[in-house]
Amino acid sequence: MISGIGGSYEQALTQATGSNKKLDNTLSKDYTNSSDEELMEVAKEFEAYFLEQMFKSMQKMVPESEYTSSTTKTMTEYYQEQLLSEYANNATETSDEGVGIAQLIYEQMKRNYNL
């Protein structure tokens, strides 16, 4: 079972790298002919990614326990990554404007693409 968790953790790390590449691909597209919904979706994706990175930086400030074994640490890191990602997505989706970053990005994209 533990090796399955370790494999899941490695898969999550691969997915995190994949999500970075996905974000890069998303942000490098030409949105000249995009709808308002598409622009807002891209802005929300970026906001969620930004918040996730901020949460991860905050998490690094929390001291680690000296009693944590390497197996427990691997499992904990895996679930923390998943939890932080969900926190970021929920923070973006919970209110009409999320944190507000998505709305600012959306408005700037509309100006940049003359929409």
Side-chain angles (χ1 to χ4, degrees):
M1 176 166 163
I2 292 176
S3 64
I5 297 291
S8 297
Y9 177 66
E10 292 299 322
Q11 183 180 7
L13 288 177
T14 303
Q15 288 174 349
T17 303
S19 69
N20 292 349
K21 289 179 184 176
K22 179 185 172 198
L23 182 65
D24 287 341
N25 290 339
T26 300
L27 295 176
S28 66
K29 289 182 183 176
D30 181 15
Y31 291 97
T32 305
N33 298 318
S34 298
S35 68
D36 286 346
E37 292 82 20
E38 290 171 322
L39 292 178
M40 185 53 86
E41 186 60 34
V42 170
K44 284 184 176 185
E45 282 181 39
F46 180 79
E47 181 179 65
Y49 176 78
F50 177 80
L51 290 174
E52 182 178 349
Q53 297 308 307
M54 185 179 70
F55 292 156
K56 285 179 182 179
S57 294
M58 291 167 58
Q59 179 89 36
K60 290 178 184 177
M61 300 296 289
V62 176
E64 290 186 23
S65 170
E66 61 188 66
Y67 303 106
T68 305
S69 70
S70 62
T71 303
T72 305
K73 185 176 178 180
T74 302
M75 291 170 45
T76 302
E77 287 173 349
Y78 169 75
Y79 288 110
Q80 285 175 343
E81 291 283 328
Q82 298 301 311
L83 184 62
L84 291 178
S85 179
E86 281 303 310
Y87 282 161
N89 288 329
N90 287 337
T92 301
E93 297 294 333
T94 45
S95 68
D96 291 338
E97 292 188 26
V99 177
I101 298 169
Q103 185 64 36
L104 293 171
I105 293 170
Y106 167 78
E107 290 169 5
Q108 184 63 45
M109 289 175 75
K110 285 191 67 126
R111 281 192 295 273
N112 287 351
Y113 293 114
N114 296 318
L115 298 175

